[in-house]
Amino acid sequence: MRYRTFAESDFAALQALDLAAQRHADPAFDTLPAREREGRLCTSLPALKFYARSEHSFAAQDDAGAVQGLILAQHVWQGDRPIVLVRTVLLAPDAPEGTAAGLLHATVKSAYDSAVYEVHFPLIPGLEDAARQEEARVTGSYAVCHLGTRASTAPGERA
């Protein structure tokens, strides 16, 4: 598996990966209201252009050239220090074991290389082993408050 930054030539494959991951996570994805489907996808053209410049986002590519995973992360200034904040990790339904760990490691390395010493990420299924490998400390759960009409259809369990 190769972990690399991505460019505009990768956008169509990344959008297809996002759609496949959403359909795999929720088999009823295509029956959701259009606004909810759009809200769950994170690979709009503006988002991909932004994350392609972030220096902390990576695609996982197999030996055949197929995209198997994606991590979208950005640096954020907290007022007293910078952090790298992971927005999402997407995996192909048949991604090889260790893909999530490789993506997280690429982001951790890029953060370290740019003198950022905290990486914040949601501890989602598939990242538990990666978190252990990176010696991450769990300080709570990651929650998202969806406002407006998405509150009734957004993914995840209610707190």
Side-chain angles (χ1 to χ4, degrees):
M1 191 71 58
R2 180 175 170 232
Y3 301 94
R4 61 175 180 78
T5 57
F6 54 88
E8 197 163 336
S9 59
D10 298 305
F11 288 0
L14 298 174
Q15 289 170 328
L17 170 69
D18 191 5
L19 187 57
Q22 297 304 325
R23 287 175 171 157
H24 182 73
D26 184 353
F29 177 81
D30 290 323
T31 67
L32 295 170
R35 187 171 186 164
E36 179 60 27
R37 289 191 313 268
E38 290 170 14
R40 290 189 188 191
L41 296 170
C42 57
T43 54
S44 68
L45 185 58
L48 288 174
K49 285 183 176 185
F50 172 79
Y51 284 106
R53 295 186 311 265
S54 77
E55 300 179 10
H56 303 296
S57 298
F58 298 91
Q61 184 178 28
D62 66 18
D63 294 338
V67 176
Q68 295 293 321
L70 173 68
I71 189 167
L72 298 177
Q74 64 175 313
H75 58 274
V76 177
W77 178 248
Q78 298 290 80
D80 60 349
R81 68 185 174 276
I83 66 167
V84 168
L85 178 64
V86 174
R87 175 185 179 189
T88 195
V89 177
L90 297 172
L91 299 174
D94 58 347
E97 188 174 326
T99 302
L103 287 165
L104 182 61
H105 183 71
T107 296
V108 167
K109 183 176 182 336
S110 74
Y112 185 82
D113 289 349
S114 63
V116 177
Y117 301 113
E118 287 185 33
V119 177
H120 294 234
F121 59 96
L123 195 55
I124 58 171
L127 279 184
E128 296 93 346
D129 288 340
R132 280 188 283 283
Q133 289 174 15
E134 296 296 336
E135 298 181 6
R137 295 182 180 267
V138 178
T139 59
S141 298
Y142 185 87
V144 178
C145 186
H146 293 275
L147 306 175
T149 58
R150 283 205 62 215
S152 62
T153 56
E157 298 174 20
R158 291 193 184 270

